[in-house]
Amino acid sequence: TIQTKHNFKVMETEQTYNTVLSTRSIGSVPSDFKEWRLDPFFLDDTGTWRKIILAPNVSAIRQSHIDDEDIGYPLFLLESDASNDANASTLLVYPLPDGNSDFDDGEYRIYVPYVKYLTALSTSGDSNWFTINAEEYIINLATSYGFAADWDEQRMGIWAQLAENKFKEIVKRDKLYRLSGVDTLVPHYQGVNEARTRM
């Protein structure tokens, strides 16, 4: 519930893929995937990076004059349609990889930042960021559910509100953590087109 309501710092991660010559699919969407985060990109062997555009559908790619048979370096990534009821899907790259990367194998290294769901706890000794930092939220919400099962709506509401108060505290703590490394406001004259570091 708490991971669905907010994207916490601990949920941020990145998956790396390698292209394969003339092959559209670069691999499966991670099973812990929640949603996209930032722009995917590829790096060449010298460390230079280029942004890749996440396409909403194949029509948007075709409107950009990329044909199904075109080859080149990665410009677009597209999530395929689900292959089963569990929503398993793959990532597709457009145009088809040309094998001209400056790496020895000629393939491109694609990096996909995303927000993940943490691995579910399975035994009594398991812990994660939420059991450590959101313990009171978990207890309050579980108590609310307990009163709901007992048809005690009044106490259920009280404990649900206590859980919500704790949730706000946890979100605030997470936001403060993200800002803790920033002590100055640095204007960037190029706006969103400039690097997101303080240089």
Side-chain angles (χ1 to χ4, degrees):
T1 298
I2 196 170
Q3 293 182 74
T4 301
K5 292 171 70 172
H6 180 76
N7 293 337
F8 292 87
K9 179 70 175 172
V10 69
M11 299 166 64
E12 296 178 358
T13 190
E14 186 176 84
Q15 179 73 33
T16 307
Y17 298 90
N18 285 1
T19 60
V20 177
L21 178 66
S22 300
T23 303
R24 182 77 65 206
S25 174
I26 60 171
S28 300
V29 173
S31 59
D32 59 0
F33 183 90
K34 180 188 177 186
E35 60 189 56
W36 304 106
R37 177 180 70 90
L38 305 176
D39 297 312
F41 59 95
F42 73 85
L43 285 175
D44 61 27
D45 201 19
T46 63
T48 304
W49 70 279
R50 295 186 70 161
K51 183 172 81 168
I52 301 173
I53 298 170
L54 279 171
N57 50 57
V58 72
S59 295
I61 295 173
R62 290 177 179 146
Q63 288 171 0
S64 299
H65 308 291
I66 301 295
D67 187 83
D68 288 347
E69 304 302 320
D70 287 346
I71 63 171
Y73 60 84
L75 290 174
F76 296 96
L77 275 186
L78 174 68
E79 184 178 356
S80 72
D81 294 334
S83 60
N84 58 32
D85 291 343
N87 199 32
S89 57
T90 58
L91 287 178
L92 309 176
V93 63
Y94 288 80
L96 288 167
D98 57 12
N100 288 331
S101 164
D102 61 352
F103 285 96
D104 292 340
D105 59 5
E107 302 304 336
Y108 298 92
R109 276 56 172 172
I110 296 178
Y111 297 82
V112 180
Y114 70 98
V115 179
K116 68 176 181 177
Y117 285 109
L118 272 59
T119 303
L121 305 176
S122 58
T123 65
S124 60
D126 287 350
S127 65
N128 62 22
W129 189 90
F130 296 105
T131 61
I132 296 168
N133 293 280
E135 181 180 8
E136 289 182 78
Y137 169 83
I138 295 169
I139 292 170
N140 293 346
L141 191 61
T143 305
S144 173
Y145 288 165
F147 280 119
D150 194 39
W151 298 93
D152 191 338
E153 288 84 0
Q154 183 177 355
R155 287 188 174 89
M156 176 195 77
I158 293 170
W159 284 95
Q161 185 58 55
L162 290 172
E164 185 62 25
N165 293 344
K166 285 298 174 184
F167 172 74
K168 291 175 182 175
E169 289 181 17
I170 299 159
V171 169
K172 181 179 179 182
R173 186 185 316 155
D174 183 67
K175 290 180 178 179
L176 290 173
Y177 171 73
R178 291 171 186 271
L179 295 173
S180 62
V182 180
D183 59 3
T184 54
L185 174 64
V186 180
H188 294 292
Y189 75 95
Q190 292 180 331
V192 297
N193 295 318
E194 194 161 355
R196 298 183 184 184
T197 53
R198 292 172 291 151
M199 298 177 69

